[in-house]
């Protein structure tokens, strides 16, 4: 072996010893890295949810029938990490000159979830001539713990809440005696199960069921003018019968004891509360006493009682698929659907186990399904309902923005 060759093999190999353009690129890259390392990085700041929570959109809220002409708006938003969510809804009743509204906030940074909310509404009393005899304001505040257990196929949640409500007269017709102001402090627990499914081209939820069970007690906490316990159960079942055609069934029963606040049937009064579903995908759960019975006026004495039963059957079918919208603003029409419905319900007091009289109605709705911001879907419905009772039943036309049950 040649000693000079051995020395050359053992010498270190350096990129700088070779006239190769790669060596120049690596050297420049190394200099750039060292230059960036010398630059001062911005100081880290704590995460703040408030920068992303300002409202960026709104939807109209509409509820029009013989007793109310409510127009308003609803909006909701959440922070980037989905820890904070809120919903705000305000409407003005031009028929009765009254501002209604609600605000709800949910914190999802812990397990379980925390919910706080306030609401202001009004209850009407109507005589047999459809004249308003009394308007009673109702204000409510709630603090709630929500314990969810969700899977891919269904959701189940337990709700534990404390509520306080205030009621007082704000309008009386001539000759009508005033009622005392009332206060209720309520401890409540509720259970919600949902396996209902809706597919992208469906006219509504078309499979599965949604169940709720609520128990409320006005004796457990605080000081209440009304005393007793209330239990409400609700079952909603959805059947796909052919293609996109759907049969929907809703059964509700409420039982009250002692001097609890009565249930009220009539009007379209619980459709507006569906906007709470933007937060929880369900209607408000607690202290719910007003239920829709289409074809009958809201506030009738014959439809007010300590106990209540309500059944609704709807056949929902497609009419036209539009699927047209605009990029700016991001708003579009999805489809037009129809609904044939049958409602029946009644109330009763002590000494009975079921209503002495059921009040029936039939009717037709046309629903326009609209999309806003690509992920918010709502319905504009125009309906005609005919109450079948010869004394209390009426032919009524109504307009609402909300959700189907």
């Amino acid at each position: 072996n040649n000693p000079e060759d051995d020395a050359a093999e053992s010498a270190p190999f350096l990129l700088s010893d070779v006239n190769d353009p790669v060596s120049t690129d690596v050297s420049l890259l190394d200099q750039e890295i060292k230059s960036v390392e010398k630059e001062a990085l911005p100081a880290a700041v704590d995460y703040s949810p408030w920068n992303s929570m300002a409202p960026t959109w709104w939807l109209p809220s509409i509820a029009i029938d013989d007793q109310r002409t409510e127009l308003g708006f609803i909006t909701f938003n959440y922070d980037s990490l989905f820890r904070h969510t809120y919903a705000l809804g305000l409407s003005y009743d031009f028929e009765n000159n009254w501002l209604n509204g609600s605000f709800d906030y949910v914190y999802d940074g812990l397990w379980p979830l925390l919910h706080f909310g306030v609401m202001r509404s009004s209850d009407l009393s109507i005589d047999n001539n459809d004249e308003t005899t009394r308007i009673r304001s109702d204000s409510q505040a709630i603090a709630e713990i929500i314990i969810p257990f969700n899977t891919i196929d269904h959701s189940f949640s337990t709700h534990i809440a404390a509520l306080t409500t205030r009621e007082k007269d704000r309008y009386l017709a001539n000759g009508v005696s005033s009622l005392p102001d009332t206060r209720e402090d309520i401890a409540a627990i509720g259970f919600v199960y949902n396996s209902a499914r809706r597919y992208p081209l469906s006219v509504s939820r078309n499979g599965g069921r949604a169940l709720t069970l609520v128990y409320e007690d006005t004796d457990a906490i605080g000081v209440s003018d009304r005393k007793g316990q209330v239990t409400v159960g609700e079952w909603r079942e959805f059947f796909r019968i052919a293609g996109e055609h759907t049969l929907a069934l809703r059964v509700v029963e409420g039982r009250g004891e002692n001097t609890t606040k009565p249930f009220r049937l009539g009007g379209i009064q619980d459709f507006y509360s569906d906007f709470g579903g933007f937060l929880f995908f369900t209607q408000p759960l607690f202290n719910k006493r007003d239920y829709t019975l289409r074809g009958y006026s809201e506030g009738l004495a014959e439809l007010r009682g300590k106990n209540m039963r309500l059944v609704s059957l709807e056949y929902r079918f497609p009419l036209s698929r539009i699927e047209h919208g605009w990029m700016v603003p991001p708003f579009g029409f999805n489809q037009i659907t129809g609904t044939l419905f049958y409602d029946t319900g009644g109330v009763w007091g002590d000494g009975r186990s079921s209503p002495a009289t059921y009040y029936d109605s039939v009717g037709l709705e046309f629903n326009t399904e609209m999309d806003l911001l690509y992920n918010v879907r709502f319905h504009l419905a125009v309906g005609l309902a005919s109450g079948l009772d010869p004394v209390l039943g009426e032919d009524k036309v109504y307009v609402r923005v909300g959700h189907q049950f």
Side-chain angles (χ1 to χ4, degrees):
N1 294 333
N2 189 336
E4 293 181 358
D5 294 339
D6 292 340
E9 291 178 1
S10 61
F13 177 77
L14 300 177
L15 285 175
S16 58
D17 295 335
V18 182
N19 187 16
D20 188 337
V22 175
S23 64
T24 305
D25 293 342
V26 172
S27 177
L28 292 174
L29 179 61
D30 184 61
Q31 293 177 11
E32 291 177 2
I33 293 174
K34 291 181 179 179
S35 175
V36 170
E37 289 177 347
K38 292 179 180 179
E39 295 180 2
L41 296 176
V45 296
D46 294 334
Y47 171 72
S48 174
W50 315 117
N51 296 331
S52 57
M53 290 190 66
T56 57
W57 62 272
W58 63 277
L59 290 177
S61 65
I62 303 172
I64 301 174
D65 64 4
D66 294 345
Q67 281 75 49
R68 297 177 184 266
T69 304
E70 284 195 35
L71 302 176
F73 73 93
I74 180 171
T75 185
F76 80 93
N77 207 353
Y78 41 79
D79 71 313
S80 301
L81 299 181
F82 296 96
R83 292 177 180 173
H84 306 268
T85 306
Y86 70 89
L88 171 66
L90 290 175
S91 67
Y92 189 80
D93 186 348
F94 292 90
E95 186 77 17
N96 300 296
N97 300 317
W98 188 248
L99 180 68
N100 295 317
S102 65
F103 177 79
D104 291 279
Y105 166 79
V106 173
Y107 179 66
D108 194 9
L110 302 171
W111 192 91
L113 284 69
L114 303 178
H115 165 225
F116 305 95
V118 293
M119 183 181 69
R120 184 190 189 193
S121 61
S122 58
D123 296 331
L124 308 183
S125 295
I126 308 295
D127 62 19
N128 290 334
N129 296 320
D130 261 0
E131 297 294 332
T132 301
T133 59
R134 184 193 314 273
I135 301 178
R136 196 163 173 83
S137 66
D138 185 355
S139 300
Q140 173 182 295
I142 181 173
E144 180 181 5
I145 297 174
I146 305 172
I147 308 172
F149 299 93
N150 298 329
T151 68
I152 296 176
D153 297 325
H154 65 265
S155 64
F156 176 80
S157 57
T158 299
H159 302 245
I160 303 171
L163 304 86
T164 184
T165 70
R166 304 289 187 275
E167 292 185 11
K168 62 181 180 180
D169 290 335
R170 67 171 189 83
Y171 168 79
L172 294 172
N174 293 332
V176 177
S177 301
S178 63
L179 294 176
D181 297 351
T182 60
R183 167 180 173 172
E184 284 188 272
D185 297 323
I186 305 170
I189 185 169
F191 305 95
V192 178
Y193 171 82
N194 187 11
S195 66
R197 300 178 301 275
R198 174 167 187 171
Y199 300 101
L201 299 182
S202 301
V203 299
S204 74
R205 290 184 286 183
N206 61 357
R209 63 197 53 86
L211 310 175
T212 63
L213 179 63
V214 171
Y215 177 80
E216 301 173 0
D217 191 344
T218 59
D219 294 329
I221 60 173
V223 178
S224 298
D225 297 308
R226 295 189 178 103
K227 298 292 185 180
Q229 295 75 40
V230 173
T231 304
V232 180
E234 181 169 353
W235 187 308
R236 306 182 187 196
E237 191 78 23
F238 305 92
F239 306 91
R240 181 180 178 184
I241 55 178
E244 301 170 28
H245 297 247
T246 299
L247 196 64
L249 174 66
R250 180 191 187 192
V251 180
V252 189
E253 181 145 341
R255 300 291 184 98
E257 299 179 4
N258 299 328
T259 59
T260 54
K261 181 179 178 180
F263 293 96
R264 302 174 355 127
L265 302 180
I268 57 170
Q269 50 195 333
D270 67 335
F271 281 115
Y272 179 73
S273 65
D274 280 346
F275 284 116
F278 282 122
L279 276 181
F280 314 114
F281 302 98
T282 184
Q283 294 184 16
L285 193 61
F286 299 114
N287 195 35
K288 182 172 171 56
R289 301 293 185 269
D290 297 334
Y291 290 86
T292 291
L293 181 59
R294 291 165 284 194
Y296 295 88
S297 295
E298 173 188 353
L300 292 171
E302 293 86 348
L303 294 173
R304 183 170 60 245
K306 186 182 297 185
N307 308 291
M308 171 274 299
R309 184 175 295 158
L310 175 66
V311 178
S312 294
L313 182 64
E314 296 190 355
Y315 166 53
R316 301 168 180 173
F317 52 93
L319 290 175
S320 176
R321 190 174 303 282
I322 302 173
E323 295 185 330
H324 178 77
W326 299 266
M327 293 295 292
V328 180
F331 176 83
F333 292 92
N334 188 24
Q335 60 182 336
I336 299 176
T337 66
T339 299
L340 295 173
F341 65 81
Y342 168 73
D343 291 345
T344 184
V347 298
W348 70 96
D350 295 329
R352 298 189 57 89
S353 58
S354 62
T357 302
Y358 283 94
Y359 296 90
D360 305 330
S361 68
V362 295
L364 171 67
E365 276 189 4
F366 294 99
N367 296 276
T368 300
E369 188 178 81
M370 294 170 280
D371 293 310
L372 179 67
L373 301 176
Y374 310 107
N375 61 354
V376 177
R377 178 166 292 177
F378 65 102
H379 296 262
L380 172 64
V382 178
L384 172 63
S386 178
L388 302 182
D389 184 82
V391 177
L392 301 182
E394 300 178 67
D395 294 331
K396 289 182 172 289
V397 176
Y398 58 88
V399 179
R400 63 175 176 85
V401 172
H403 296 284
Q404 297 167 304
F405 72 76

